[in-house]
């Protein structure tokens, strides 16, 4: 994705550890960006098969109150993950690592043009469910 002025974001939220607390934390911080619509929570097993943990996933569509640079948003999302309990040091605990909060940009409106994050394509099932609820216009872009 190119850097530029972002006015809208679609973000995937995921947690497999203390999900209630982590989601409450992340949602409260993400709402400060602007008007947010949050999909229903989807729970399920780890689609990668690396963990026996139950994952909780949702998708948020945020209309930013003030435009931001894409790279600044990426940095801020990493800070929110850590503020909400993510500990990068716990990543390799026998492939069953705790992820309190994972925030990934699925798409962004950059300089007035929607761009899908190619690293997140094709959309995973749980992301697709959330996108259908809060940003179904993106489905035309992800083909």
């Amino acid at each position: 994705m190119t850097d530029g002025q972002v006015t809208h974001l679609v973000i995937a939220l995921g947690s497999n550890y203390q999900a209630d607390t982590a989601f409450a934390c992340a949602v409260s911080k993400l709402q400060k960006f602007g008007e947010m619509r949050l999909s229903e929570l989807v729970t399920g097993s780890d689609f990668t098969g690396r963990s026996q943990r139950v994952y909780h996933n949702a998708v948020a569509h945020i209309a930013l109150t003030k435009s931001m640079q894409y790279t600044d948003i990426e940095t801020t999302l990493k800070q929110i993950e850590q503020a909400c309990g993510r500990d990068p040091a716990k990543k390799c605990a026998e492939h069953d690592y705790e992820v309190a909060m994972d925030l990934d940009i699925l798409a962004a409106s950059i300089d007035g043009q929607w761009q899908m994050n190619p690293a997140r394509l094709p959309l995973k099932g749980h992301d697709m469910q959330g996108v259908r609820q809060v940003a179904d216009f993106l489905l035309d872009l992800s083909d």
Side-chain angles (χ1 to χ4, degrees), residues 6-7 11-13 19 28 31 44 64 67 69 82-83 87 97-98 104-106 110 114 128 134 141:
V6 176
T7 55
I11 300 173
L13 295 82
S28 73
Q31 286 175 328
L64 302 182
S67 66
Q69 285 292 116
Q82 290 182 0
D87 182 356
Y97 54 92
E98 296 172 356
D104 293 310
I105 299 171
L106 297 178
I110 304 172
W114 276 100
M128 184 70 81
V134 300
L141 299 175

CSV table of all heavy atoms in Angstrom, one decimal, residues 6-7 11-13 19 28 31 44 64 67 69 82-83 87 97-98 104-106 110 114 128 134 141:
chain,number,residue,atom,x,y,z
A,6,VAL,N,-4.7,9.3,4.7
A,6,VAL,CA,-5.8,8.3,4.9
A,6,VAL,C,-7.0,9.0,5.6
A,6,VAL,O,-6.8,9.7,6.6
A,6,VAL,CB,-5.3,7.2,5.8
A,6,VAL,CG1,-6.4,6.2,6.1
A,6,VAL,CG2,-4.1,6.4,5.2
A,7,THR,N,-8.2,8.8,5.0
A,7,THR,CA,-9.4,9.4,5.5
A,7,THR,C,-10.3,8.3,6.1
A,7,THR,O,-11.2,8.6,6.9
A,7,THR,CB,-10.1,10.2,4.5
A,7,THR,OG1,-10.4,9.4,3.3
A,7,THR,CG2,-9.3,11.4,4.1
A,11,ILE,N,-10.1,-2.2,9.5
A,11,ILE,CA,-9.1,-2.8,10.3
A,11,ILE,C,-9.7,-4.2,10.8
A,11,ILE,O,-10.8,-4.2,11.3
A,11,ILE,CB,-8.7,-2.0,11.5
A,11,ILE,CG1,-8.1,-0.7,11.0
A,11,ILE,CG2,-7.8,-2.7,12.4
A,11,ILE,CD1,-7.9,0.3,12.2
A,12,ALA,N,-8.9,-5.2,10.8
A,12,ALA,CA,-9.2,-6.5,11.4
A,12,ALA,C,-8.7,-6.5,12.8
A,12,ALA,O,-7.5,-6.1,13.1
A,12,ALA,CB,-8.5,-7.6,10.6
A,13,LEU,N,-9.5,-6.9,13.7
A,13,LEU,CA,-9.1,-7.0,15.1
A,13,LEU,C,-9.2,-8.5,15.5
A,13,LEU,O,-10.1,-9.2,15.1
A,13,LEU,CB,-10.1,-6.3,16.1
A,13,LEU,CG,-10.3,-4.8,16.0
A,13,LEU,CD1,-11.2,-4.4,14.8
A,13,LEU,CD2,-10.8,-4.2,17.3
A,19,ALA,N,-9.7,-11.9,25.6
A,19,ALA,CA,-10.3,-11.2,24.4
A,19,ALA,C,-11.3,-10.1,24.9
A,19,ALA,O,-11.3,-9.0,24.3
A,19,ALA,CB,-11.0,-12.2,23.5
A,28,SER,N,-12.0,1.2,22.5
A,28,SER,CA,-12.0,2.5,23.1
A,28,SER,C,-10.9,3.4,22.4
A,28,SER,O,-11.1,4.6,22.2
A,28,SER,CB,-11.8,2.5,24.6
A,28,SER,OG,-10.5,2.1,24.9
A,31,GLN,N,-11.9,4.2,18.6
A,31,GLN,CA,-13.0,5.2,18.5
A,31,GLN,C,-12.4,6.6,18.5
A,31,GLN,O,-13.1,7.6,18.0
A,31,GLN,CB,-14.0,5.0,19.6
A,31,GLN,CG,-14.9,3.8,19.4
A,31,GLN,CD,-15.8,3.5,20.5
A,31,GLN,OE1,-15.5,3.8,21.7
A,31,GLN,NE2,-17.0,3.0,20.2
A,44,GLY,N,-13.7,-18.7,16.7
A,44,GLY,CA,-13.3,-19.9,16.0
A,44,GLY,C,-11.9,-20.4,16.3
A,44,GLY,O,-11.2,-19.7,17.0
A,64,LEU,N,-12.0,8.6,9.7
A,64,LEU,CA,-11.2,9.4,10.5
A,64,LEU,C,-11.7,10.9,10.6
A,64,LEU,O,-12.1,11.5,9.6
A,64,LEU,CB,-9.7,9.5,9.9
A,64,LEU,CG,-9.1,8.1,9.7
A,64,LEU,CD1,-7.6,8.3,9.2
A,64,LEU,CD2,-9.0,7.3,11.0
A,67,SER,N,-7.4,13.4,8.8
A,67,SER,CA,-6.6,12.5,8.0
A,67,SER,C,-5.2,12.3,8.6
A,67,SER,O,-4.7,13.2,9.3
A,67,SER,CB,-6.5,13.0,6.6
A,67,SER,OG,-5.8,14.2,6.5
A,69,GLN,N,-1.2,10.1,8.0
A,69,GLN,CA,-0.3,9.4,7.1
A,69,GLN,C,-0.5,7.9,7.3
A,69,GLN,O,-0.6,7.5,8.5
A,69,GLN,CB,1.1,9.8,7.3
A,69,GLN,CG,1.5,11.2,6.7
A,69,GLN,CD,1.4,11.2,5.2
A,69,GLN,OE1,0.6,11.9,4.6
A,69,GLN,NE2,2.3,10.4,4.5
A,82,GLN,N,0.1,-3.1,21.9
A,82,GLN,CA,0.8,-3.2,23.1
A,82,GLN,C,0.1,-2.7,24.3
A,82,GLN,O,0.1,-3.3,25.4
A,82,GLN,CB,2.2,-2.6,23.0
A,82,GLN,CG,3.1,-3.5,22.0
A,82,GLN,CD,4.5,-2.9,21.8
A,82,GLN,OE1,4.9,-2.0,22.5
A,82,GLN,NE2,5.3,-3.6,21.0
A,83,ALA,N,-0.6,-1.5,24.2
A,83,ALA,CA,-1.3,-0.9,25.3
A,83,ALA,C,-2.5,-1.8,25.7
A,83,ALA,O,-2.9,-1.8,26.9
A,83,ALA,CB,-1.9,0.4,24.8
A,87,ASP,N,2.1,-8.8,23.8
A,87,ASP,CA,3.5,-8.9,24.3
A,87,ASP,C,4.3,-9.7,23.2
A,87,ASP,O,4.1,-10.9,23.1
A,87,ASP,CB,3.6,-9.7,25.6
A,87,ASP,CG,5.0,-9.8,26.1
A,87,ASP,OD1,6.0,-9.4,25.4
A,87,ASP,OD2,5.2,-10.3,27.2
A,97,TYR,N,1.0,-19.3,21.0
A,97,TYR,CA,1.3,-18.0,21.7
A,97,TYR,C,0.0,-17.2,21.9
A,97,TYR,O,-1.0,-17.3,21.3
A,97,TYR,CB,2.3,-17.2,20.9
A,97,TYR,CG,1.9,-17.0,19.4
A,97,TYR,CD1,1.2,-15.9,19.0
A,97,TYR,CD2,2.4,-17.9,18.4
A,97,TYR,CE1,0.9,-15.7,17.7
A,97,TYR,CE2,2.1,-17.7,17.1
A,97,TYR,CZ,1.3,-16.6,16.7
A,97,TYR,OH,1.0,-16.4,15.4
A,98,GLU,N,0.1,-16.4,23.0
A,98,GLU,CA,-0.9,-15.5,23.4
A,98,GLU,C,-0.9,-14.2,22.5
A,98,GLU,O,0.1,-13.6,22.4
A,98,GLU,CB,-0.7,-15.1,24.8
A,98,GLU,CG,-0.8,-16.2,25.8
A,98,GLU,CD,-0.4,-15.8,27.2
A,98,GLU,OE1,0.0,-14.6,27.4
A,98,GLU,OE2,-0.5,-16.6,28.1
A,104,ASP,N,-4.8,-5.3,12.2
A,104,ASP,CA,-4.2,-5.3,10.8
A,104,ASP,C,-5.1,-4.5,9.9
A,104,ASP,O,-6.3,-4.6,9.9
A,104,ASP,CB,-4.1,-6.7,10.3
A,104,ASP,CG,-3.1,-7.6,11.0
A,104,ASP,OD1,-2.0,-7.1,11.2
A,104,ASP,OD2,-3.5,-8.7,11.4
A,105,ILE,N,-4.5,-3.6,9.1
A,105,ILE,CA,-5.2,-2.9,8.1
A,105,ILE,C,-5.6,-3.8,6.9
A,105,ILE,O,-4.7,-4.4,6.3
A,105,ILE,CB,-4.4,-1.7,7.6
A,105,ILE,CG1,-4.0,-0.7,8.8
A,105,ILE,CG2,-5.1,-0.9,6.5
A,105,ILE,CD1,-3.0,0.4,8.5
A,106,LEU,N,-6.9,-3.9,6.7
A,106,LEU,CA,-7.4,-4.6,5.5
A,106,LEU,C,-7.4,-3.7,4.3
A,106,LEU,O,-7.1,-4.2,3.2
A,106,LEU,CB,-8.8,-5.2,5.8
A,106,LEU,CG,-8.9,-6.2,6.9
A,106,LEU,CD1,-10.3,-6.7,7.1
A,106,LEU,CD2,-8.0,-7.4,6.7
A,110,ILE,N,-6.8,6.1,0.7
A,110,ILE,CA,-5.5,6.9,0.7
A,110,ILE,C,-5.6,7.9,-0.5
A,110,ILE,O,-5.8,7.5,-1.6
A,110,ILE,CB,-4.3,6.0,0.5
A,110,ILE,CG1,-4.3,5.0,1.6
A,110,ILE,CG2,-3.0,6.9,0.5
A,110,ILE,CD1,-3.2,3.9,1.5
A,114,TRP,N,-9.6,4.0,-2.5
A,114,TRP,CA,-9.5,2.8,-1.7
A,114,TRP,C,-8.5,1.8,-2.2
A,114,TRP,O,-8.4,1.6,-3.4
A,114,TRP,CB,-10.9,2.1,-1.6
A,114,TRP,CG,-11.8,2.7,-0.6
A,114,TRP,CD1,-12.8,3.5,-0.8
A,114,TRP,CD2,-11.8,2.5,0.8
A,114,TRP,NE1,-13.4,3.9,0.3
A,114,TRP,CE2,-12.8,3.2,1.4
A,114,TRP,CE3,-11.0,1.7,1.6
A,114,TRP,CZ2,-13.0,3.3,2.7
A,114,TRP,CZ3,-11.2,1.7,3.0
A,114,TRP,CH2,-12.2,2.5,3.5
A,128,MET,N,-13.8,-11.8,6.0
A,128,MET,CA,-14.9,-11.6,5.0
A,128,MET,C,-16.2,-11.3,5.7
A,128,MET,O,-17.0,-10.5,5.2
A,128,MET,CB,-15.0,-12.8,4.1
A,128,MET,CG,-16.0,-12.7,3.0
A,128,MET,SD,-15.5,-11.5,1.7
A,128,MET,CE,-14.4,-12.5,0.8
A,134,VAL,N,-19.6,-4.3,7.6
A,134,VAL,CA,-19.3,-2.9,7.8
A,134,VAL,C,-18.6,-2.2,6.6
A,134,VAL,O,-18.5,-1.0,6.6
A,134,VAL,CB,-18.3,-2.7,9.1
A,134,VAL,CG1,-19.0,-3.2,10.3
A,134,VAL,CG2,-17.0,-3.4,8.9
A,141,LEU,N,-13.3,-4.7,-4.7
A,141,LEU,CA,-11.9,-4.5,-4.8
A,141,LEU,C,-11.0,-5.7,-4.5
A,141,LEU,O,-9.9,-5.8,-5.0
A,141,LEU,CB,-11.4,-3.4,-3.8
A,141,LEU,CG,-12.1,-2.0,-4.0
A,141,LEU,CD1,-11.6,-1.1,-2.9
A,141,LEU,CD2,-11.8,-1.4,-5.4
